Amino acid sequence: MAFINFSGLLIVLGGTMTAMLVSFSFKELVAGLKQARIVTEPLNLDMSQDVNQILHFSKLWFRHQYAQIDADLDKLNDRFLQKGLQMVRDRQSSEDVMSLLNWKISQIRSKESGVINLFRSMATFAPAFGMVGSLVGLVNMLQTIETGSLTAVPADLAIALVTTFYGLLLANLVFKPIATKLEQRRNLKIVQLTMIAEGIALIQQNRTPSAIRDILMSFIQV
């Protein structure tokens, strides 16, 4: 109970959120905070389904079963894979296909990096406002001592110490771990998208399904 101080917590959380609203838009902040649920989610990424889908279309392409390709493309839920395969089916150049896929990968990397930066900013602001709370508590304590009344000194000293504790705790136990986990998720996602883009490029190059499987499996085994 000695570490529970609502005034100190209000200073740290209120200051941090105010600084975040100044640094980011409200929409960005809300969208970023929703990503905090990643703490409870596993980070294991199963790419075997993506490999199987690519191999399925590679077999159809290698056998020139274009009608079946058109039918199966409409059933795909992965828009990234669907768009790439549709461009291959439309006989667009490899430069155009890879340019679009790389642009989409860059978009996803930029979006994920923005959320990571949001939580890293929180981890920077929280200890700073913890120090602000400490200064507020110390100033109030000195004013109380000057007036000759010592009854409020313990409460002011508690705010001075607990706010620093709250700032460090939130930064190192909440915000930084969330940012680290988001960064791990981003890296896994980029590997997955890179693998899909490589598979699409191999299909366009008319590589055999067995060769495509061997190359894609190297992404999973890394």
Side-chain angles (χ1 to χ4, degrees), residues 11-213:
I11 291 174
V12 176
L13 285 179
T16 301
M17 290 298 106
T18 301
M20 293 302 297
L21 287 172
V22 173
S23 304
F24 300 89
S25 67
F26 181 77
K27 183 178 180 181
E28 289 175 324
L29 184 59
V30 172
L33 291 175
K34 289 181 179 178
Q35 300 297 319
R37 68 178 183 275
I38 192 176
V39 175
T40 60
E41 296 178 355
L43 279 176
N44 296 329
L45 184 62
D46 185 11
M47 292 191 291
S48 58
Q49 182 179 357
D50 298 315
V51 172
N52 291 333
Q53 288 180 331
I54 293 171
L55 290 177
H56 170 70
F57 282 99
S58 71
K59 293 174 182 177
L60 296 178
W61 184 263
F62 196 71
R63 298 166 184 168
H64 307 290
Q65 297 176 344
Y66 302 123
Q68 187 63 45
I69 290 176
D70 294 335
D72 291 348
L73 274 176
D74 294 333
K75 302 175 184 177
L76 274 179
N77 295 322
D78 189 336
R79 297 303 177 190
F80 183 81
L81 177 60
Q82 184 186 50
K83 182 62 179 177
L85 290 173
Q86 186 63 59
M87 292 181 70
V88 173
R89 175 68 183 91
D90 294 339
R91 305 290 181 173
Q92 298 193 32
S93 66
S94 58
E95 291 80 7
D96 290 341
V97 174
M98 294 309 299
S99 177
L100 177 69
L101 296 180
N102 289 331
W103 176 71
K104 285 187 173 293
I105 291 174
S106 298
Q107 270 193 322
I108 293 173
R109 180 187 286 112
S110 177
K111 181 180 178 181
E112 293 287 336
S113 297
V115 178
I116 294 169
N117 183 51
L118 186 143
F119 281 98
R120 293 208 182 279
S121 297
M122 287 186 183
T124 301
F125 290 136
F129 281 98
M131 293 300 297
V132 170
S134 297
L135 293 175
V136 170
L138 290 175
V139 170
N140 289 337
M141 185 180 68
L142 292 175
Q143 289 181 341
T144 301
I145 293 174
E146 186 178 0
T147 58
S149 175
L150 301 179
T151 56
V153 169
D156 293 333
L157 185 58
I159 293 177
L161 297 176
V162 170
T163 50
T164 301
F165 170 76
Y166 283 153
L168 293 173
L169 192 70
L170 288 172
N172 296 285
L173 199 61
V174 179
F175 300 139
K176 284 184 180 179
I178 292 175
T180 300
K181 207 162 186 180
L182 285 170
E183 191 171 19
Q184 293 172 351
R185 185 186 69 175
R186 180 196 63 186
N187 294 339
L188 289 174
K189 185 67 175 178
I190 295 303
V191 170
Q192 180 189 29
L193 295 177
T194 302
M195 185 269 293
I196 294 174
E198 181 67 19
I200 293 171
L202 292 171
I203 291 175
Q204 191 172 30
Q205 295 168 14
N206 288 318
R207 302 289 292 273
T208 63
S210 59
I212 295 176
R213 183 185 63 249

